[in-house]
Amino acid sequence: MKDILLLPTYNEKENIKSIISEVFSLVPNLEILVIDDNSPDGTAKEVEVMMSVYPGLKILKRKGKTGLGNAYKEAMLLVSQDNDIRSVITMDADGSHQPKYLPDFLASINDYDLIIGSRYVSGGGVENWEGWRRYLSRFSNIYAKLFTHLPINDLTAGFMCIKTDFLRRLDFSQISSSGYCFLIELKFNLIRNLNARVIELPIIFIERSKGASKFSLKIAWESFWKVISLGFKNSIHADKK
């Protein structure tokens, strides 16, 4: 059985080479699929050069930038067709998610269906964030947990390992978010609709040192309203029990 890492990219030429090299040095048998949204900085070309060095490296070229959620949906639907893939890992390509945690994720996938790299459990945390970003992230997760009633402290986490069988059973048409809120919706559907067994493993999230952050107020606003919508779905789910 195989495990695959999904790396969505847009203008990550400065980071992609070091991330890929570090991942393969830690987990040589892991496969990596880079999902590039037609990065104008030449990220895709950098990956294609590395493909001659790493047989387990592949790239999915998309026509344009349509959001993190859409990139992940397309890639997940694609890789879930391969019955030999045991688990799918989602990870940022900017260095904020440290590859050193990957062996712990893969060691847990036999006992859990969803593993979350969490900033908000004992041992977790963030580095190099401004105060406003820390407060916004903490508030967002408390707010999301309050509405969704999910047993998770880091609902906005993007560093995850998911058993592929659950992605095959997932109805992606029920996930409408095209941006970062996809990460919350994905967790909600895996846990509420498919009863996925979940565990949060502590990670230290490090703010990127190269390139520009993709975070924006538009992303925060989408998440605010989507969480309210999920709260209503959670109420309906509870009433049916």
Side-chain angles (χ1 to χ4, degrees), residues 31-65:
E31 293 192 357
I32 298 178
L33 177 63
V34 174
I35 314 150
D36 188 68
D37 280 3
N38 197 23
S39 299
D41 73 342
T43 299
K45 291 182 180 178
E46 189 74 30
V47 173
E48 287 172 331
V49 170
M50 297 186 74
M51 286 169 63
S52 63
V53 180
Y54 299 108
L57 177 62
K58 300 178 178 64
I59 188 167
L60 172 61
K61 294 183 184 178
R62 286 162 38 90
K63 293 182 179 180
K65 192 172 185 290

Side-chain angles (χ1 to χ4, degrees), residues 28-202:
N29 294 326
L30 189 66
E31 293 192 357
I32 298 178
L33 177 63
V34 174
I35 314 150
D36 188 68
D37 280 3
N38 197 23
S39 299
D41 73 342
T43 299
K45 291 182 180 178
E46 189 74 30
V47 173
E48 287 172 331
V49 170
M50 297 186 74
M51 286 169 63
S52 63
V53 180
Y54 299 108
L57 177 62
K58 300 178 178 64
I59 188 167
L60 172 61
K61 294 183 184 178
R62 286 162 38 90
K63 293 182 179 180
K65 192 172 185 290
T66 60
L68 179 73
N70 285 332
Y72 270 140
K73 282 181 197 177
E74 184 174 345
M76 287 177 177
L77 287 168
L78 177 66
V79 302
S80 62
Q81 295 174 23
D82 186 343
N83 291 325
D84 289 331
I85 294 179
R86 177 184 65 157
S87 71
V88 174
I89 300 168
T90 64
M91 190 174 91
D92 290 350
D94 59 10
S96 56
H97 295 149
Q98 300 178 75
K100 69 179 183 180
Y101 298 112
L102 291 173
D104 291 336
F105 280 24
L106 294 173
S108 301
I109 197 61
N110 287 326
D111 299 316
Y112 296 93
D113 310 310
L114 171 61
I115 295 120
I116 298 172
S118 179
R119 297 160 292 183
Y120 302 124
V121 293
S122 179
V126 297
E127 289 184 2
N128 303 328
W129 264 7
E130 304 94 329
W132 70 268
R133 188 78 183 272
R134 289 175 182 269
Y135 287 120
L136 179 60
S137 176
R138 206 69 177 97
F139 168 78
S140 298
N141 278 285
I142 292 172
Y143 165 79
K145 186 174 183 177
L146 178 66
F147 272 88
T148 62
H149 294 276
L150 292 180
I152 299 173
N153 295 295
D154 198 345
L155 270 158
T156 61
F159 199 8
M160 297 180 286
C161 185
I162 308 162
K163 198 167 283 182
T164 314
D165 286 344
F166 278 74
L167 292 179
R168 295 187 185 104
R169 293 163 52 196
L170 188 66
D171 183 359
F172 279 93
S173 68
Q174 296 296 312
I175 303 179
S176 59
S177 298
S178 60
Y180 281 75
C181 196
F182 168 83
L183 299 170
I184 300 177
E185 274 202 273
L186 178 63
K187 297 179 187 74
F188 182 89
N189 281 273
L190 287 171
I191 296 170
R192 280 286 174 262
N193 297 337
L194 299 181
N195 297 313
R197 298 168 298 170
V198 59
I199 186 174
E200 290 183 89
L201 299 181

